[in-house]
Amino acid sequence: MIYSKATIKSISESIGIPRLKDGITTAMAQDVEYRLHEIIVEAAKFMHHSRRTKLTVGDVNRALRVRNVEPVYGFESGRPSKFHRAQTGIDDDVFYVDDEMIDLDAALDEALPSVPPSVAYTAHWLAIEGVQPRIQQNPVEAEPDVQAGVKRQNTSNGADAVETILEVKHVLSKELQLYYECITESLRSSDSVVRATAVSSIAADAGIHQLVTYFVQYVATTVKSNLRNVDTLTTALAVARAVRTNPHLFVEPYMHQLIPSLLTCVVSRQLGEPGSSAHWALRDNAAEQVSEICKQFGHVYHTLQPRVARTLLRAFLDPTKPLSTHYGAITGLSALGTSVIRVLLLPNMRTYMALLDVEMEKQEEEARMCQNALVRALKKLAEHYEDEVGLSHMQKHKLAEVVGTTLAGVVYEDPQAGKIMGAVAAAVAETKLSNQS
C-alpha cells in the first residue's frame, strides 16, 4: 500500500480523531489508494488529449473537477515546494510545507508600491463587418509556422532569400458568391431594366454586408477601365449610390475607397467618346454624390470636405486643364454649399472669366457650359437671400468687378438678376468683414 497505517493514524490525530482501530486504518488506506489511482488515470486522459507527455497540476485539477471534487488551490506556480519532517512523538513520517519567513522590519522599511491608475474606459473597433482590425487592443493569434503573414523560403545555400507575403482570404458563402456573380452580370447587361433591377437589389437587400468591399472595388475597377463608356460609368455611379443608401449596410470604413472614383468622374479630362455631350450629366451626378458623402460623413471625418474642396479648387484654378475639368470642378464646388461658393468660387470668378472669354471663341460649347455652371452657382448663392436690388448700371458695374463683365451681362439678363446681385453684394461684404476681424 502507498499509505501505511501509521500515516493514516497520524493524519487522523492531526484533525482530532485519536486511536483509530487497525481495521479502519487499513480500509481507509486502501480507499485512499483507489481514489488516488482513479484521479491519476483521469488526469492522464487530459494529458494525452493535450498531446503532452508530462502530467501537470492543471491536469489533476481538471480530473478533480470531473469527479466533482474541489480542486487543489495554490500549486499552479512552477516554484517547487519544500517539505520538512515534523518532529512528533508518534511517527517520524509526517512532513509539512515550509513557509517562507517574512521579516516585518524589512517589510516596513521597503518603499510603498506605486498607486495604481484610476479606472478609465476607451473605445476601439472590435470588428467591422465581421473583420477584426489589426490594432493593439485586439488579440492576434499567430500561426506556429507562419507569423505575421510572412513565410520565408530557403535557398540552396540555406540563406533566407525569398520572402512571400501570404494573402488573407475573405471567405464568402456560395450563396453570396452566386448573388455577386448574378448582380455583376446583370450590371453589364445591355437591357436598362435588368441593370435597374440589379441596382435596386443592391439598395434594398439586407444580407449583403459582406459584399460591400466587393461592390466598392467593382466601382473603382469599372471607373478606371471604362472612362470612354458613359453608360458603364453611369451604372457604376448608380451602384455607388445604391451601396451608400442601403439602410442595412455600414459603409463608413469604405468611403476613402469610393471618393477617388467619384472625383475621377467629376474632373476627368475626358469622359465618353470625343465629341459626345453625355458626360455633362455624368459629372453632375458624381458631384452630387460627393456632396452627399461630405454631408453624411463630415461630422465623423472633419477633414473630408476641406480635402475634397481643395482638390476641386486646384482643378478649377489650373489653366492647363481642359474646360470639361473646369466644369466638373465648378459643379463640385457649387454642390458643397453656399459657404464654399462664397469663399472659394466667388473670389476667383473674375479671373476665371478672363480665361473663359478667350476660350469662348475656340470651344464655344464647353465654354458655354462652364459659364452656365457659374450662373447656377450664383443662383444657388442667392437661394437664401430674400432682398433684391435695383437693376441699375451702377449695380451691374459692381457685379462686373466681382464676376467679370461677360458673366455680369449674362446675370443682368436673368429673371433673378436683382436677387443674385444682392446676394453677391452681401457675400462680398461678409468676406471683407471676416478678413478685417
Side-chain angles (χ1 to χ4, degrees):
M1 290 189 297
I2 298 177
Y3 288 96
S4 62
K5 298 178 183 178
T7 302
I8 300 298
K9 288 183 179 180
S10 299
I11 295 174
S12 65
E13 289 179 358
S14 65
I15 59 176
I17 305 176
R19 299 177 183 179
L20 283 179
K21 296 181 180 179
D22 292 341
I24 296 176
T25 56
T26 302
M28 290 189 66
Q30 294 175 352
D31 185 69
V32 168
E33 184 176 349
Y34 171 76
R35 301 295 181 186
L36 184 62
H37 178 76
E38 188 179 35
I39 294 298
I40 293 175
V41 170
E42 195 72 34
K45 293 180 181 179
F46 285 100
M47 179 187 69
H48 293 312
H49 282 293
S50 301
R51 299 183 182 277
R52 287 184 280 100
T53 58
K54 181 179 180 180
L55 193 67
T56 64
V57 176
D59 297 329
V60 177
N61 282 340
R62 295 185 189 96
L64 292 173
R65 192 176 292 110
V66 168
R67 294 295 176 179
N68 200 21
V69 179
E70 187 175 3
V72 179
Y73 299 101
F75 291 93
E76 287 290 346
S77 65
R79 185 176 57 184
S81 301
K82 296 181 180 180
F83 293 90
H84 292 274
R85 187 186 300 274
Q87 300 296 330
T88 62
I90 301 173
D91 194 350
D92 291 339
D93 293 334
V94 177
F95 296 85
Y96 66 94
V97 179
D98 186 19
D99 293 331
E100 181 182 358
M101 300 296 293
I102 299 177
D103 187 359
L104 293 180
D105 293 334
L108 292 175
D109 292 338
E110 290 181 357
L112 294 176
S114 59
V115 179
S118 58
V119 178
Y121 297 93
T122 180
H124 67 89
W125 287 108
L126 179 61
I128 301 176
E129 296 295 334
V131 180
Q132 178 176 285
R134 298 179 66 86
I135 57 178
Q136 183 179 2
Q137 291 83 355
N138 289 338
V140 178
E141 296 183 0
E143 298 182 5
D145 297 331
V146 182
Q147 294 184 353
V150 177
K151 182 180 180 181
R152 297 185 180 275
Q153 301 177 355
N154 294 331
T155 57
S156 58
N157 57 3
D160 291 343
V162 181
E163 183 174 308
T164 305
I165 305 297
L166 302 181
E167 295 183 354
V168 179
K169 294 184 179 180
H170 190 186
V171 181
L172 291 177
S173 63
K174 292 184 178 180
E175 292 79 6
L176 285 178
Q177 294 180 25
L178 181 62
Y179 175 87
Y180 180 74
E181 292 174 359
C182 292
I183 287 293
T184 52
E185 184 178 355
S186 300
L187 293 173
R188 290 189 293 266
S189 174
S190 58
D191 190 349
S192 60
V193 177
V194 175
R195 295 198 302 269
T197 303
V199 171
S200 62
S201 176
I202 297 174
D205 286 351
I208 59 173
H209 60 276
Q210 287 187 320
L211 294 177
V212 173
T213 180
Y214 293 92
F215 284 127
V216 172
Q217 185 64 31
Y218 170 83
V219 173
T221 305
T222 303
V223 170
K224 184 178 180 180
S225 57
N226 294 275
L227 292 178
R228 297 299 181 90
N229 193 330
V230 175
D231 292 336
T232 304
L233 293 176
T234 303
T235 303
L237 292 184
V239 173
R241 185 184 295 276
V243 172
R244 288 192 305 104
T245 57
N246 190 325
H248 308 288
L249 302 181
F250 181 61
V251 297
E252 180 182 320
Y254 308 99
M255 285 302 101
H256 68 284
Q257 302 177 25
L258 196 60
I259 287 181
S261 302
L262 297 177
L263 287 178
T264 299
C265 293
V266 175
V267 297
S268 180
R269 298 180 64 90
Q270 182 175 346
L271 297 175
E273 296 298 332
S276 174
S277 59
H279 64 95
W280 304 113
L282 180 68
R283 296 179 192 273
D284 293 341
N285 184 4
E288 183 182 357
Q289 289 207 47
V290 172
S291 172
E292 292 174 357
I293 291 176
C294 291
K295 293 177 182 178
Q296 185 177 359
F297 301 103
H299 65 285
V300 179
Y301 303 104
H302 302 288
T303 62
L304 175 61
Q305 180 165 321
R307 291 168 62 186
V308 171
R310 192 180 306 115
T311 301
L312 296 175
L313 181 63
R314 191 181 302 115
F316 173 59
L317 297 179
D318 190 351
T320 62
K321 299 291 185 182
L323 293 182
S324 56
T325 298
H326 291 169
Y327 174 85
I330 295 170
T331 306
L333 290 172
S334 301
L336 293 179
T338 56
S339 298
V340 176
I341 297 174
R342 177 177 58 84
V343 176
L344 299 181
L345 265 183
L346 193 59
N348 296 292
M349 280 189 182
R350 182 178 179 181
T351 304
Y352 179 73
M353 284 305 301
L355 171 67
L356 198 62
D357 289 340
V358 177
E359 297 293 336
M360 192 74 73
E361 301 176 357
K362 304 176 184 177
Q363 310 174 53
E364 183 177 358
E365 180 186 359
E366 295 185 353
R368 192 71 61 185
M369 292 297 297
C370 292
Q371 179 178 283
N372 294 338
L374 291 174
V375 173
R376 288 198 300 270
L378 293 176
K379 288 183 178 181
K380 187 171 184 178
L381 183 65
E383 284 180 355
H384 303 289
Y385 189 80
E386 299 179 355
D387 298 333
E388 295 187 12
V389 298
L391 301 180
S392 62
H393 290 287
M394 181 62 69
Q395 294 295 336
K396 183 178 179 180
H397 178 70
K398 290 181 179 180
L399 180 64
E401 292 179 351
V402 180
V403 301
T405 305
T406 304
L407 189 58
V410 176
V411 172
Y412 195 77
E413 300 296 332
D414 192 272
Q416 303 180 19
K419 194 174 181 180
I420 295 175
M421 290 181 180
V424 170
V428 172
E430 185 177 353
T431 302
K432 289 182 179 179
L433 183 61
S434 60
N435 292 336
Q436 291 177 359
S437 61

